[in-house]
Amino acid sequence: MVRLDPAFLALLCLLDLSVSWDQRPGGLPEWVTPVYAVLGYLPLLWRRRFPLPVLLIVVAHALLAWVVAYGYVPTFNVWLGLYAVAFHCGRRAAVIGLLAASTQAALNVVDEVRRSEPAVRSEALVVSAVLGTVIVLTIFGVGRWAAWTVRQQRLVAELAAAEAITAERGRITRDLHDIVAHAVSLMVLQAAGAAKILRKDPDRAQEALHHVDVLGQQAIGELRRMLGILTDGTEKAVTDPLPGLRDLDVLVEHMRTAGLPVELDVTGTPTALAPGAELSAYRIVQEALTNASRYADRRLPVQVHVRWQPAQLEVRVRNQCPVVRRHSAHPLSTGRGLLGMQERAAAAGGRLQVGPQPDGGFLVTAVFPLTRPPEPAAPDGHRTPPSATEPPS
């Protein structure tokens, strides 16, 4: 639109000359009026950047037309400048622009009365005054309404962006909770175990303390990555890969080192998950194992089942809870574990079921829909139809 502005102004100038110039004989050559008209439209190229100064220049150009270009009363350039002021300026500047444009409208009324026959000058005065006032006020009102509409659209976009940022911060908050809760729980368990066997078996105690150091370093690394996303979201904060189901072996090994027996069973063929679902599945397993380290009976293994099915992924974590600890509050609990898992599953388009089992165990089940890979395309761009030996999907 900005690139077409000169052509638009040129057409508007020609239209203004054809309507407002009666080419009556005067003291100056005829070529003066077209040149003067062009000079009145050139400032409009900067009307978006300096709306009020441009309008004042255009109004002054219209007033001087009585002397420089006899018989020519520029109008359209003033109207365009008034619209720019109403659209781009604040209330006070817009009112000043309206008063300036009204001066030019009064000039049009005088010119119309001067051109009319003496017998109908009173009617011409009324008609031109009413019509000029209506046009000026309409242009001003349309400009203000358009500015209000743009502001409302910008406000809606800002609110949508703020909601997106809030949702993203909520996701990061859940990540931070999972990272801290999991790492601190394992570190406390490792440290407690090292304290018990420090005198009896120093080597094992040293190994446990080494795992505490490793877990602490990993937690600090993940915290830095997540906090980097909260601040600038660049460099290492974005390039580091997010944990996923491929890291379950490492997670299970850490839990075993902490003294929690864990059995991992993966069945089916892994396939593509919806965006965010793999991270959510990993975090749910991590949170479930963290809860098991606090509440489960350590004499019995915690069972983790990952089942890849044709249309969905099912993750199950089951443990056995001693009767004496089933309803007790662990001092390391943050009170956000189950709620965080439910939020994660819902955000990834899945569903979560948690609760005690009749035999005294506790089961966490999460189901996520799978993302189907796109069908292969033929060289001509069409989908390749299934062969005769393949059943239709």
Side-chain angles (χ1 to χ4, degrees):
M1 182 62 183
V2 177
R3 295 179 179 179
L4 298 178
D5 215 22
F8 169 71
L9 294 178
L11 291 176
L12 195 63
C13 181
L14 292 176
L15 181 62
D16 198 8
L17 281 171
S18 63
V19 174
S20 304
W21 185 26
D22 57 8
Q23 299 184 0
R24 287 176 291 180
L28 297 175
E30 290 187 357
W31 61 265
V32 174
T33 300
V35 172
Y36 187 76
V38 172
L39 294 178
Y41 277 83
L42 283 178
L44 292 174
L45 292 172
W46 295 274
R47 67 186 182 277
R48 297 181 181 88
R49 189 172 182 181
F50 309 104
L52 185 58
V54 167
L55 176 62
L56 296 179
I57 292 174
V58 168
V59 171
H61 170 272
L63 296 177
L64 289 176
W66 284 74
V67 179
V68 177
Y70 184 71
Y72 169 61
V73 183
T75 304
F76 295 157
N77 56 348
V78 177
W79 290 352
L80 185 58
L82 175 62
Y83 178 84
V85 169
F87 182 83
H88 293 286
C89 294
R91 182 180 301 176
R92 181 177 300 179
V95 171
I96 295 175
L98 177 62
L99 295 178
S102 300
T103 304
Q104 189 272 342
L107 181 64
N108 280 348
V109 174
V110 173
D111 183 71
E112 186 65 27
V113 172
R114 185 186 61 179
R115 296 182 185 185
S116 303
E117 298 293 333
V120 295
R121 284 182 177 176
S122 58
E123 291 84 354
L125 174 64
V126 174
V127 172
S128 60
V130 172
L131 184 60
T133 302
V134 170
I135 292 176
V136 169
L137 292 179
T138 299
I139 293 174
F140 182 80
V142 170
R144 299 302 291 174
W145 174 82
W148 177 84
T149 302
V150 171
R151 287 195 299 270
Q152 291 299 115
Q153 293 175 349
R154 186 181 298 114
L155 179 60
V156 171
E158 291 175 353
L159 291 176
E163 291 179 357
I165 292 175
T166 301
E168 180 65 13
R169 288 182 181 272
R171 182 190 68 80
I172 295 173
T173 300
R174 291 193 297 270
D175 274 342
L176 292 176
H177 167 269
D178 293 345
I179 292 168
V180 174
H182 176 73
V184 171
S185 296
L186 293 187
M187 291 167 64
V188 170
L189 291 174
Q190 292 277 12
K196 292 180 180 180
I197 63 174
L198 180 59
R199 295 183 178 179
K200 297 181 180 179
D201 194 345
D203 293 337
R204 287 184 59 193
Q206 183 178 3
E207 182 182 357
L209 293 176
H210 172 70
H211 285 293
V212 171
D213 178 65
V214 172
L215 289 170
Q217 294 295 331
Q218 291 177 350
I220 290 175
E222 288 206 55
L223 285 174
R224 285 176 177 171
R225 179 178 59 80
M226 300 307 300
L227 292 176
I229 297 175
L230 281 174
T231 53
D232 58 1
T234 58
E235 298 178 358
K236 196 173 186 298
V238 176
T239 58
D240 281 355
L242 294 172
L245 296 178
R246 63 187 179 278
D247 302 308
L248 283 182
D249 291 335
V250 178
L251 176 63
V252 168
E253 187 60 31
H254 284 168
M255 301 304 298
R256 290 170 180 169
T257 304
L260 181 68
V262 181
E263 296 178 353
L264 176 62
D265 179 34
V266 180
T267 59
T269 303
T271 184
L273 278 174
E278 185 170 357
L279 175 61
S280 297
Y282 175 85
R283 293 300 189 195
I284 288 175
V285 174
Q286 184 184 55
E287 182 65 27
L289 292 179
T290 302
N291 290 339
S293 68
R294 300 167 184 161
Y295 305 109
D297 189 344
R298 292 177 172 272
R299 297 169 298 180
L300 299 175
V302 178
Q303 299 172 343
V304 179
H305 298 281
V306 179
R307 299 178 179 175
W308 295 94
Q309 301 176 0
Q312 65 184 18
L313 168 68
E314 183 183 65
V315 177
R316 297 162 61 94
V317 181
R318 179 186 177 87
N319 62 69
Q320 297 294 328
C321 301
V323 178
V324 294
R325 297 177 58 190
R326 188 177 303 168
H327 303 290
S328 62
H330 196 280
L332 292 179
S333 176
T334 62
R336 288 280 306 176
L338 296 181
L339 180 59
M341 287 191 286
Q342 291 175 351
E343 292 175 351
R344 284 190 176 279
R351 61 183 185 274
L352 181 77
Q353 292 181 347
V354 296
Q357 298 300 296
D359 58 357
F362 194 86
L363 179 63
V364 175
T365 303
V367 178
F368 298 93
L370 298 182
T371 302
R372 292 183 177 273
E375 297 178 3
D380 58 356
H382 299 286
R383 296 293 183 184
T384 304
S387 62
T389 59
E390 294 176 345
S393 58

